[in-house]
Amino acid sequence: MNFKLFNLVYYMGVATFTYFNIYFKSIGLTETQIGNINSMAKAVSLVMLPLWGMISDYYKVNKRLLMGAVAAAGLTSLAFLVTEQFLGVALIMVVFFMFVTPIPPLM
């Protein structure tokens, strides 16, 4: 996949992030639960991003890490279809953001 097409697809996916809160509300989560899910995802991002960077720099595997992160994020996003419970959605969101966060720096 060439870089322009990859960017197009990636940023189309990023645009869907704005609808996560609407989806969470539609499955019956409260505002407090939605806020907790979003804050957990951001906290994981703060921790994971430097780790991804260290792995990428140490092993010189940017392209493989990028492909792995994109594949893992795509597969993880399918898990949202499986559960509507707070703990399940929170866990999926945390794992999803573990793989989505490093994609822009690795590009």
Side-chain angles (χ1 to χ4, degrees):
M1 180 184 287
N2 73 27
F3 189 67
K4 289 180 183 179
L5 180 60
F6 178 78
N7 269 338
L8 174 70
V9 171
Y10 173 73
Y11 285 109
M12 285 172 57
V14 169
T16 64
F17 292 175
T18 58
Y19 296 102
F20 271 139
N21 292 341
I22 297 169
Y23 170 70
F24 294 154
K25 186 73 173 165
S26 75
I27 61 172
L29 299 180
T30 66
E31 286 84 5
T32 303
Q33 290 173 324
I34 294 170
N36 287 336
I37 289 171
N38 287 326
S39 63
M40 284 186 281
K42 299 303 179 190
V44 166
S45 297
L46 284 172
V47 173
M48 292 304 295
L49 193 55
L51 292 176
W52 280 95
M54 286 187 283
I55 292 168
S56 171
D57 291 343
Y58 186 77
Y59 292 106
K60 310 271 190 253
V61 289
N62 276 10
K63 189 171 183 179
R64 279 192 268 166
L65 275 179
L66 177 61
M67 291 186 301
V70 169
L75 291 173
T76 305
S77 68
L78 295 175
F80 283 108
L81 302 172
V82 176
T83 185
E84 294 183 356
Q85 322 248 299
F86 171 70
L87 289 177
V89 171
L91 179 63
I92 293 166
M93 190 72 160
V94 164
V95 172
F96 178 71
F97 266 85
M98 283 173 56
F99 296 113
V100 167
T101 301
I103 293 174
L106 291 173
M107 290 193 309

